[in-house]
Amino acid sequence: MKQVTIEEFQSIVENQDDLHILDVRPKDLYEAGHVPGAVHLPLSQLEDSLDELDKDTHYYTICHDGVGSKKAATILDENGFDVTNVEKGVPDYQGELEK
């Protein structure tokens, strides 16, 4: 499974358009602030939502501390998706957050 540090991820967010970021945290944490452009898809609902995702799209998974996003990335990877896990999590992201 591919991984990037939170610092590498922030650079990617700042320098690339059309990213597909899956924030797998609970709804209250997502609504409190998330990486710009991130889509909320809770880890608890991921397996039931795989048919809504595109296998030709590259996804980044992010959570609160890197644990949930790693689980999400493993699930996606095992189901044939192109995915990169973001190490650490949203609290470590130094850029502006959306609410």
Side-chain angles (χ1 to χ4, degrees):
M1 172 192 4
K2 295 178 276 192
Q3 296 198 103
V4 294
T5 64
I6 193 72
E7 295 82 10
E8 291 169 328
F9 178 66
Q10 184 167 342
S11 178
I12 291 166
V13 170
E14 291 170 353
N15 295 299
Q16 290 185 28
D17 293 326
D18 199 31
L19 295 176
H20 299 276
I21 306 163
L22 301 177
D23 189 322
V24 299
R25 299 174 300 157
K27 185 177 182 179
D28 60 329
L29 292 177
Y30 174 81
E31 289 179 347
H34 54 271
V35 174
V39 174
H40 185 232
L41 182 57
L43 180 59
S44 62
Q45 298 173 16
L46 179 63
E47 290 191 78
D48 293 333
S49 302
L50 292 177
D51 59 343
E52 298 171 22
L53 302 175
D54 183 354
K55 289 193 177 179
D56 294 326
T57 298
H58 179 244
Y59 294 97
Y60 289 91
T61 55
I62 192 166
C63 66
H64 186 74
D65 57 10
V67 176
S69 62
K70 189 170 186 177
K71 288 178 185 174
T74 299
I75 291 167
L76 291 169
D77 187 56
E78 289 174 350
N79 283 278
F81 290 90
D82 183 15
V83 61
T84 299
N85 176 52
V86 179
E87 295 175 349
K88 296 192 178 178
V90 174
D92 297 294
Y93 184 79
Q94 297 299 309
E96 290 285 324
L97 298 177
E98 290 181 348
K99 291 188 179 183

